Amino acid sequence: MLKETNIRSVVKGITYRVAGTCTTMLIVFLFVGRLDLAFYTGLAETFSKIGLYWLHERVWLKVRWGRKKIEPFNIWLTGLPLCGKTTVGDLVHQKLRQLDIPLERIDSKDIRELIPDIGFTRNSRNQHLHRVGHLICTLQKNAISTVASFVSPYEESREIIANMVKNNIIVYIKADIETCKKRDYKHVYEKAICGEYQNFTGISDVYEEPKHADIVIDTDEVSAEEAAEHIIKFIKKRYIK
């Protein structure tokens, strides 16, 4: 998707205005045969239309008719550690920002750095996601949508979020555990297998696959870019019509 830059828009506006003024001057000259009158007419038209455009825009800023509010939504990416949630979530966030949607990115790593004492037991994870749900609700009250990526391995954890936030979209980032191990640049799977990490999803703790995911993406089959595009199409169809 290509985005119109401010400088390009300014140049387009200037060239359009110059072309319009020159056309007016040419028409006046052809009708009356006076170059000075054509010049002054073009000059007057330029300033009057700039003022008219400014006034027109100010009036339309006050008119609410025809505006459509985008309801805040939450894209919840879930899956095994190292399945690609964060990578896909970052791409989705970048692409949605290009649409000028009020948006925030929430990743489990960032939240855990803010609250480092959170445990990894089933109860601790559920309590943690309850806090995350409150954060998303606060953002949604301010009309801000969110892209969140959390392992969230339990069905009840995901239900907590679904019951708390508006327009929750569950995206299951599916990947074979052997693929996740190959992507393990942090060596967390290796440490979990050795017993350094307890309650590690996929090794010493379960991952309950979502029963009712809105989107299922197999990162063994599609690239992160393709996955992001698929999610963007879903959001556009459902929330940005």
Side-chain angles (χ1 to χ4, degrees):
M1 182 183 292
L2 298 177
K3 182 181 179 181
E4 185 88 359
T5 63
N6 289 332
I7 187 64
R8 176 180 168 88
S9 297
V10 170
V11 171
K12 283 169 63 178
I14 292 172
T15 54
Y16 178 80
R17 185 64 263 153
V18 169
T21 299
C22 290
T23 301
T24 299
M25 292 171 64
L26 179 61
I27 292 172
V28 172
F29 180 75
L30 290 175
F31 272 92
V32 301
R34 288 180 56 185
L35 188 59
D36 60 335
L37 185 59
F39 174 77
Y40 288 121
T41 302
L43 196 63
E45 184 221 31
T46 297
F47 286 104
S48 64
K49 286 193 173 178
I50 289 174
L52 180 62
Y53 179 79
W54 176 85
L55 180 62
H56 180 266
E57 287 296 297
R58 302 311 297 177
V59 170
W60 272 100
L61 282 174
K62 304 290 185 182
V63 178
R64 298 183 63 87
W65 176 84
R67 290 181 178 178
K68 184 178 179 181
K69 181 180 178 182
I70 297 176
E71 289 296 323
F73 53 83
N74 174 54
I75 302 173
W76 188 267
L77 297 105
T78 175
L80 288 168
L82 279 301
C83 67
K85 299 182 300 298
T86 298
T87 301
V88 174
D90 288 344
L91 286 171
V92 170
H93 179 253
Q94 291 169 15
K95 292 176 184 295
L96 286 176
R97 291 283 291 182
Q98 293 175 358
L99 302 177
D100 293 325
I101 297 172
L103 193 68
E104 286 293 338
R105 177 77 174 94
I106 305 174
D107 186 72
S108 58
K109 176 179 68 65
D110 301 324
I111 300 297
R112 290 231 171 228
E113 287 176 356
L114 289 172
I115 317 173
D117 296 331
I118 302 165
F120 288 90
T121 65
R122 194 175 191 110
N123 187 53
S124 295
R125 288 178 188 263
N126 288 340
Q127 289 180 344
H128 175 51
L129 291 186
H130 195 268
R131 296 189 191 102
V132 173
H134 275 295
L135 172 60
I136 295 172
C137 286
T138 301
L139 291 168
Q140 288 191 336
K141 287 177 182 177
N142 291 279
I144 299 173
S145 296
T146 45
V147 179
S149 47
F150 289 79
V151 173
S152 47
Y154 313 127
E155 189 68 24
E156 71 260 28
S157 298
R158 297 186 291 267
E159 287 180 1
I160 288 171
I161 298 297
N163 292 331
M164 291 181 70
V165 309
K166 298 178 181 178
N167 303 320
N168 189 57
I169 304 131
I170 296 179
V171 181
Y172 175 26
I173 304 297
K174 187 177 182 181
D176 185 80
I177 193 167
E178 295 304 320
T179 302
C180 295
K181 290 177 183 178
K182 291 177 183 177
R183 297 171 180 166
D184 186 13
Y185 63 94
K186 297 180 180 178
H187 305 291
V188 290
Y189 276 97
E190 182 180 326
K191 292 177 181 178
I193 292 170
C194 293
E196 290 186 42
Y197 292 157
Q198 300 299 315
N199 304 109
F200 189 88
T201 305
I203 301 298
S204 52
D205 198 5
V206 298
Y207 179 81
E208 299 170 358
E209 292 191 348
K211 297 177 181 177
H212 307 292
D214 298 284
I215 303 172
V216 178
I217 292 172
D218 191 337
T219 55
D220 287 328
E221 303 293 333
V222 300
S223 67
E225 185 71 31
E226 291 171 327
E229 286 295 338
H230 184 69
I231 296 169
I232 295 295
K233 286 180 182 177
F234 181 92
I235 295 298
K236 284 183 175 179
K237 183 177 180 181
R238 187 72 65 91
Y239 299 102
I240 315 172
K241 297 179 181 178

